[in-house]
C-alpha cells in the first residue's frame, strides 16, 4: 500500500521533473520526513507538499505549475 | 550512488594548454615566406596576441561548459539518464581537448619544419586529431541515443537519418572537392602548404571517410538529443535541459563546420587579413556560445538535483 502511494507520488512528480523525479522525491522524504521513501503514508503528504512546493519555487517562478503540483499531490 | 567529481584536473589541463600555446606561438621562429602581409615583428606579435587571448578565453569557456555538464552527469551516474549523460559529457570534454590539441599542433608547425620531421609529425598529429574527433563524436552519439531510448514512446527519426545521410554526403563531396583543389595535398617541400603527405587513396580512406563517419554521428547525436529534449517527461526538466541540448547541438555543428573550413584553408590566403580574422572570431564565438549554453543548462539541471527546500 505504502509502495503504491510512493509510486503515485513519483509518477505525479515525473510530469514536472521527468527522470529527476525519483531522486527529487527520495531526497525530500529522507531529509524532511526522516524515513525511507517507500514508507511514506498519507499523513506525510501535507508536509511533503509544503517542502516540495518550496523547492519547486526555487526552480521556477511559474506559480501555476507549483499550485497545480501541490493540488494534485494532496489529491493522491 | 553518485560519483565524486573534481574539476581541478580539467582546469589544470586548460592552464597548461594555454601556457604552452601562448609560449610556442610567441617564441616560434617565423617561417620564411609566411609574412604574406609584410608586417614587422612587433606587429606580428601583437597580431598573435589578439588571436591568443580570445582563443584561450574561449577554451576556458568551453572547459567550464564541459566540466559543468560532467559534474551534473557524475552526480546522477547510477540512473539510466545519468549514465547516458556521462557519455555525452565525456564526448564534450574530448571535443575541448581536440580543439586545444589542434591549436597546439598548429603552433608547433614552424618548430617541426625547422627540425626536419615535418611530414612524419604532420601525419602523426593529424591521426591523433582524427582519433580524438571520432571518439568524442561517438561518445556524444552513444549517450544521446541512450537518452532517446529511455523515452517511453520515442518518436521515429527515420526521416532524420536520411536527412543526415544527405547532409553528410553533401559535406563529404564539398570536402573532397576542396581537397582535390590543393595541389600540395600529397606532398610539399614547403611547410606553409597544407599537405597530408599521404597518397590520395590513404587520404580518402583514413581521413575523408572517418570525418564523414564523425559528421554522421554528430548529426544523429543532435537528432537524438532534440527528440529526447522535446519528448521526455517533465515540463520543468525540459526547460532546464533545453539550453544544454541546444548547446551540444551548436558545438557539434560548429566542430563539423571547423573541419570543413580546414579543408578550404589554402584558399583563404587570397582573402584580406581582416576578413580572415573576422571569420575566425565568429567561429570561435559561436563555439564559446555553445559551451556557454551547455553550462547554463547544466547549472539548471544541477539545481533540480540539489534543491530540497
Amino acid at each position: 500500500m505504502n509502495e503504491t502511494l510512493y509510486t503515485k507520488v513519483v509518477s505525479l512528480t515525473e510530469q514536472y521533473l521527468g527522470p529527476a523525479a525519483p531522486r527529487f522525491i527520495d531526497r525530500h522524504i529522507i531529509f524532511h520526513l526522516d524515513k525511507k521513501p517507500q514508507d511514506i503514508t498519507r499523513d506525510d503528504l501535507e508536509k511533503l507538499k509544503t517542502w516540495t512546493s518550496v523547492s519547486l519555487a526555487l526552480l521556477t517562478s511559474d506559480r501555476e505549475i507549483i499550485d497545480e503540483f501541490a493540488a494534485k499531490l494532496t489529491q493522491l | 550512488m553518485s560519483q565524486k567529481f573534481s574539476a581541478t584536473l580539467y582546469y589544470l589541463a586548460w592552464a597548461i594548454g594555454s601556457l604552452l600555446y601562448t609560449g610556442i606561438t610567441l617564441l616560434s621562429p617565423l617561417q620564411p615566406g609566411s609574412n604574406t602581409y609584410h608586417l614587422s615583428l612587433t606587429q606580428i606579435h601583437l597580431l598573435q596576441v589578439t588571436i591568443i587571448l580570445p582563443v584561450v578565453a574561449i577554451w576556458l569557456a568551453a572547459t567550464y561548459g564541459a566540466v559543468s555538464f560532467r559534474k551534473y552527469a557524475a552526480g546522477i551516474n547510477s540512473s539510466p539518464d545519468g549514465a547516458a549523460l556521462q557519455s555525452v559529457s565525456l564526448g564534450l570534454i574530448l571535443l575541448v581537448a581536440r580543439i586545444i590539441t589542434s591549436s597546439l599542433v598548429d603552433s608547433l608547425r614552424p618548430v617541426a619544419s625547422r627540425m626536419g620531421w615535418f611530414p612524419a609529425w604532420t601525419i602523426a598529429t593529424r591521426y591523433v586529431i582524427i582519433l580524438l574527433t571520432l571518439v568524442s563524436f561517438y561518445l556524444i552519439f552513444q549517450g544521446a541515443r541512450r537518452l532517446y531510448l529511455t523515452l517511453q514512446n520515442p518518436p521515429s527519426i527515420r526521416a532524420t537519418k536520411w536527412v543526415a545521410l544527405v547532409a553528410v554526403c553533401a559535406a563529404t563531396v564539398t570536402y573532397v572537392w576542396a581537397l582535390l583543389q590543393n595541389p600540395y595535398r600529397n606532398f610539399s617541400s614547403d611547410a606553409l602548404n597544407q599537405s597530408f603527405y599521404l597518397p590520395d587513396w590513404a587520404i580518402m580512406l583514413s581521413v575523408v571517410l572517418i570525418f564523414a563517419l564523425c559528421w554522421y554521428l554528430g548529426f544523429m547525436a543532435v537528432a537524438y538529443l532534440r527528440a529526447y529534449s522535446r519528448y521526455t517527461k517533465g515540463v520543468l526538466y525540459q526547460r532546464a535541459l533545453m539550453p544544454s541540448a541546444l548547446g551540444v547541438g551548436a558545438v557539434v555543428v560548429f566542430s563539423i563546420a571547423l573541419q570543413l573550413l580546414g579543408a578550404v584553408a589554402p584558399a583563404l590566403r587570397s582573402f584580406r587579413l581582416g576578413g580572415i580574422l573576422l571569420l575566425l572570431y565568429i567561429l570561435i564565438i559561436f563555439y564559446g556560445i555553445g559551451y556557454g549554453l551547455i553550462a547554463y543548462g547544466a547549472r539548471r539541471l544541477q539545481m533540480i538535483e540539489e534543491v530540497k527546500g
Side-chain angles (χ1 to χ4, degrees), chain A residues 11-76:
Chain A
S11 184
L12 165 65
T13 311
E14 278 178 349
Q15 296 173 28
Y16 303 90
L17 297 177
R23 302 186 290 267
F24 179 86
I25 291 299
D26 287 0
R27 192 164 63 245
H28 282 75
I29 293 174
I30 292 169
F31 193 77
H32 294 294
L33 303 181
D34 197 24
K35 53 171 51 174
K36 290 180 184 173
Q38 287 77 11
D39 293 343
I40 187 175
T41 65
R42 292 198 178 279
D43 293 336
D44 299 319
L45 284 183
E46 195 59 37
K47 200 173 177 186
L48 184 64
K49 182 191 82 172
T50 302
W51 286 111
T52 52
S53 295
V54 169
S55 293
L56 286 181
L58 293 172
L59 298 175
T60 181
S61 55
D62 192 334
R63 201 65 231 174
E64 207 173 300
I65 285 180
I66 300 169
D67 293 340
E68 181 186 278
F69 172 78
K72 285 183 178 178
L73 189 62
T74 45
Q75 285 166 15
L76 284 178

Side-chain angles (χ1 to χ4, degrees), chain B residues 83-94:
Chain B
L85 289 167
Q86 276 272 62
S87 185
V88 174
S89 70
L90 185 54
L92 290 173
I93 292 278
L94 287 179

Side-chain angles (χ1 to χ4, degrees), chain B residues 1 13 20 44-45 85 105 120 124 158 162 167 176 182 192 203 309:
Chain B
M1 188 71 73
L20 280 174
I44 289 173
H45 281 152
L85 289 167
V105 159
R158 192 169 297 166
W162 284 108
V176 170
N182 180 8
L192 286 177
I203 296 174

Side-chain angles (χ1 to χ4, degrees), chain B residues 65 69 240-248 250 287-299:
Chain B
F69 200 77
L241 176 67
M242 191 58 70
S244 286
L246 281 173
V248 173
Y287 196 81
I289 288 172
Y291 273 103
L293 282 171
I294 291 170
Y296 176 63
R299 287 175 67 84

